[in-house]
Amino acid sequence: MTALLSFAYLVSGICFIMALRGLSSPETAKSGNMYGMFGMALAIVTTLFLLPNIIPQISYNLIIAGVVIGGAIGTFIAYRIQMTALPQLVAAFHSLVGLAAVFVAIAAYLSPEAYGIGVAGNIHGGSLVEMGLGLAIGAITFTGSIIAFGKLQGLISGKPVTFPMQHPLNALLGISIVGLIVMLVVQQDVSIVMALTVVSLLLGILLIIPIGGADMPVVISMLNSYSGWAACGIGFTLQNPLLIITGALVGASGAILSYIMCKGMNRSIFNVILGGFGAEAGGASAGGSAVDRPVKSGSAEDAAFILKNASSVIIVPGYGMAVAQAQHALREMCDLLKKEGVSVRYAIHPVAGRMPGHMNVLLAEANVPYDEVFELDEINRDFGMSDVAFVIGANDVTNPAAKTDPKSPIFGMPILDVEKAKTVLFIKRSMASGYAGVENELFYRANTMMLFGDAKKMCELIVKSIGGGH
């Protein structure tokens, strides 16, 4: 039985590794998801039926009821969720992983005999350390994810929340967590467990509130990493090798992705981990006012004429495309342009949208060919040789202030060099700033034409104008 259990867990672990490998590319993402689903199903069945002593104290009926209820809720959410709400859904799911880790740690402390880690008042020291770490990271993940969800959903302002002595307070709470874990090993008192939980929950809030909305993609990735390490810590408490492996995979991959995202934004990974530590309290760019600066605006007919007469067009999607659900209309527009002999490609900034890969997911949903989609490093040099840069809902990732204004909060962030194209067509509802709260100098450039309106409707109008030319 033990050999079969180990083999099944090994197969599950391999499936999770294959899932991560598959999710590294849009072309293999579907097979990656299938590997992950099969691995998780195998892990659950193996745990329920092969793990020794998992069920004499609990009824299968209770477990089945939990699976059915949870599965029904998850299915309902999956069918109803809009792509624009996917980032906050991910944040909400991360919070549940953290909360589960907290509950398991507390349960293990209250009933150590059920977990084979000792008896009440005399729990193994190593298990207490593992339990304390899992509880602390889980609690930080829970409240941190709730704050991220609130910011993404608009329930909480996306602006950084700062106050005097914020970083020293965070450092004090972090030291307190370490001290409480040491005290737990020595005294094994339930009040210490409760104190550790409260301090960790508070630290989770304080780590995320100073991080602005523009950095939210990195936050989502980092919280994913936290949830993995929380699961890994609890895996040691439960003495479950698969949970350790899975948690470590999620934790490590999330940390690597966070590093890649930070590099794409020219941010320090330590700033994110430590809750914006060392970040400057920058405000909006010191550029001129949108009220007294002229801009050139055009109609869908104007845009259609420019696009039809171009030889090369680079599409730059952003969160505005996601809000308007314009990806399908955009794909139709691009198909018409290709029939006219126009070269069409897509340029993706690593932090476009509100979570890693947000734009790639939306374009894949519209069946945009993968070989037409390029990352920033692959296509940035081509803007200078392109006739048109068609920006649909992107803002901060195209803002020249990142290169020209040292006082800007986004200064130093690599951007897509759309301003180098002969013509920039920029779809936006208004002249409002992006999620970072920074005015975009690109709006006022001589080669920029603003197309004001809903992104989906504008693309549909452009499609009609292009189609009417046949």
Side-chain angles (χ1 to χ4, degrees), residues 191-281:
S191 63
I192 299 176
V193 176
M194 297 300 104
L196 178 61
T197 304
V198 172
V199 172
S200 300
L201 291 171
L202 178 59
L203 182 58
I205 296 173
L206 295 178
L207 283 175
I208 304 302
I209 58 172
I211 299 176
D215 294 333
M216 204 47 62
V218 185
V219 173
I220 293 295
S221 179
M222 183 55 67
L223 288 171
N224 177 55
S225 178
Y226 289 169
S227 68
W229 295 124
C232 183
I234 293 303
F236 281 102
T237 300
L238 299 179
Q239 302 177 45
N240 188 305
L242 183 61
L243 193 54
I244 297 171
I245 293 171
T246 306
L249 285 173
V250 173
S253 60
I256 293 170
L257 180 57
S258 298
Y259 174 77
I260 294 172
M261 300 289 285
C262 285
K263 186 178 179 181
M265 297 181 70
N266 196 32
R267 295 288 196 265
S268 166
I269 186 69
F270 296 105
N271 288 359
V272 179
I273 295 174
L274 300 176
F277 184 85
E280 295 182 6

Side-chain angles (χ1 to χ4, degrees), residues 17 36 93 174 193 224 233 243 252 299 408 423 436 463:
I17 294 172
F93 282 168
V193 176
N224 177 55
L243 193 54
S299 65
S408 173
T423 301
V463 167

Side-chain angles (χ1 to χ4, degrees), residues 84-105:
T84 49
L86 198 57
Q88 47 263 52
L89 177 66
V90 172
F93 282 168
H94 288 162
S95 73
L96 296 178
V97 175
L99 188 61
V102 172
F103 283 159
V104 172

Side-chain angles (χ1 to χ4, degrees), residues 289-315:
S289 170
V291 176
D292 56 14
R293 299 181 70 188
V295 297
K296 181 169 59 178
S297 64
S299 65
E301 291 76 14
D302 297 327
F305 178 81
I306 293 171
L307 289 167
K308 284 175 63 176
N309 287 279
S311 61
S312 61
V313 174
I314 298 179
I315 310 294

Side-chain angles (χ1 to χ4, degrees), residues 105 117 123-137 177-178 180-186 196 233-234 236-237:
I117 57 175
I123 302 174
H124 303 155
S127 297
L128 286 168
V129 172
E130 297 155 4
M131 186 190 309
L133 288 173
L135 188 153
I137 299 173
I177 288 174
V178 175
L180 286 169
I181 292 175
V182 173
M183 290 175 61
L184 180 62
V185 174
V186 175
L196 178 61
I234 293 303
F236 281 102
T237 300

Side-chain angles (χ1 to χ4, degrees), residues 284-295 431-432 439-441 443-444:
S285 175
S289 170
V291 176
D292 56 14
R293 299 181 70 188
V295 297
M431 293 291 290
E439 186 180 353
N440 196 338
E441 179 70 24
F443 298 164
Y444 311 103

